[in-house]
Amino acid sequence: MKKFLLILLIPIFALAYKVDIKTWSHKDTFYDFLKDNSLPVSIYYNLPSNLKRKVKRLPIGEKVFILRDNNKLKQALIPLNDKEQLQIINNNGKYLTKIVPIIYDTEIKSADITLNNYLSYDIYKKTGIRQLSSKLINIFSDKVNFRRIPKNTKIKIIYEEKTRFGQVKDVKILYAALKSNTFNYQAFYNPYDGRYYDERARSLKGMFLPAPLRYKRISSYFGRRFHPILHKWRMHDGVDFVNRIGTPIHSVADGRIIYKGWMRGYGKVVKIQHANGYITLYGHLHGWPRGLRKGQWVRQGQVIGYLGNTGLSTGPHLHFGVMHYGHWINPLSIRKSAKVTLWGKRRKQFFSYIKKFENEYQLASK
């Protein structure tokens, strides 16, 4: 069991000290926070420009730590995102600010579940964590049809829970097993590449996601078509997925962003280069997540844009294209991409890790 304690930079040993924890709401502003705590507005104006932008968009629902001495603020910790927080220190009336990492409490937990009702309900009833079921489905989606998963299926999950001030901020499944009369699957999280593999070092998911988004329908397929705006026959080198504007778009595989910007008829675009000669293109985007940039490495499933209607477009949709060694191919052909198997040093490294993991958590081999 791993446990990391929040270390305050000011020792709390004086009886006059008091700790307040405030939940940041959509009505709160950084200016009001300064005003409510009798802090000078100069704290904001002295911040670097990039930090000023961050404090204008503080995450809703996060816990703000406030240390007081006789009702005067001595220290505050204000989360900026899931990794960093702004620290304000009152040093005899002089206010210092700096960015410090958020330190979470982490704990390894396990749950043994028998499916009696619905997967999400049974997992939540056992663990109290809603996101575990969606993470489990994502791991085994290429193996199990969860719409028809049989009753009495045995489920075992070992997961890492990250909390801050008692609030669960994230969970990571380290091991999962599904067993029924018709199947028996295991999944081990590999800390060396962030993927899940079975006990024989075979990945549970293919190189590509089946689709880069949740879509309502496909409005146009790969191949020659009569263009609805240009009114002439031409090659359509991708697939058009229809959904509402703002629908998150995910990278279908690990890769590096090689282009982000406006590209002729495609409108706002992201292009990503992947292994084995593949490049994917995501067109007609409404916009991108804040901070996304050319040259950035992205993981499979990471949000890289939002569905839009930019460029030559007759309605909200995503144009998704796949290029292989310089030639456009049908994106639907990569849906059942080959699984990855670890070999050589990576295989030995993985087997050494899961052997230690099985011994530590007393997992029986298949």
Side-chain angles (χ1 to χ4, degrees), residues 32-39 66 68 71-73 95:
D32 288 337
F33 176 81
L34 297 177
K35 184 179 177 182
D36 293 343
N37 289 279
S38 302
L39 300 176
I66 305 169
R68 302 185 191 278
N71 291 325
K72 290 185 178 180
L73 186 143
Y95 293 92

Side-chain angles (χ1 to χ4, degrees), residues 162-186:
K162 292 172 63 175
T163 60
R164 182 174 184 266
F165 297 132
Q167 184 181 22
V168 177
K169 305 305 296 180
D170 189 31
V171 289
K172 180 193 294 179
I173 294 179
L174 304 177
Y175 169 84
L178 300 176
K179 186 176 182 180
S180 73
N181 292 331
T182 56
F183 57 76
N184 186 7
Y185 297 123
Q186 293 186 89

Side-chain angles (χ1 to χ4, degrees), residues 138-172:
N138 185 53
I139 292 170
F140 291 106
S141 59
D142 283 7
K143 295 285 188 181
V144 177
N145 182 352
F146 282 93
R147 293 182 179 181
R148 297 183 179 180
I149 188 169
K151 294 289 180 67
N152 297 317
T153 295
K154 305 295 182 183
I155 304 169
K156 184 177 185 64
I157 308 173
I158 299 176
Y159 58 98
E160 180 186 78
E161 182 182 272
K162 292 172 63 175
T163 60
R164 182 174 184 266
F165 297 132
Q167 184 181 22
V168 177
K169 305 305 296 180
D170 189 31
V171 289
K172 180 193 294 179

Side-chain angles (χ1 to χ4, degrees), residues 156-262:
K156 184 177 185 64
I157 308 173
I158 299 176
Y159 58 98
E160 180 186 78
E161 182 182 272
K162 292 172 63 175
T163 60
R164 182 174 184 266
F165 297 132
Q167 184 181 22
V168 177
K169 305 305 296 180
D170 189 31
V171 289
K172 180 193 294 179
I173 294 179
L174 304 177
Y175 169 84
L178 300 176
K179 186 176 182 180
S180 73
N181 292 331
T182 56
F183 57 76
N184 186 7
Y185 297 123
Q186 293 186 89
F188 293 88
Y189 176 75
N190 184 0
Y192 304 108
D193 65 9
R195 293 183 176 276
Y196 290 91
Y197 297 86
D198 65 14
E199 67 283 356
R200 295 171 63 184
R202 299 174 301 185
S203 66
L204 277 83
K205 298 184 76 67
M207 178 180 172
F208 296 99
L209 295 177
L213 77 164
R214 290 188 176 183
Y215 60 95
K216 293 181 178 179
R217 61 187 176 91
I218 294 177
S219 61
S220 187
Y221 289 85
F222 180 85
R224 287 185 61 81
R225 68 166 183 175
F226 188 76
H227 197 281
I229 294 179
L230 301 178
H231 301 295
K232 61 181 181 180
W233 287 93
R234 62 184 295 179
M235 183 66 184
H236 185 238
D237 49 21
V239 170
D240 292 345
F241 294 102
V242 176
N243 208 328
R244 289 183 292 184
I245 288 180
T247 300
I249 308 300
H250 306 269
S251 174
V252 295
D254 293 353
R256 191 173 303 280
I257 296 175
I258 58 174
Y259 184 83
K260 175 203 163 195
W262 188 275

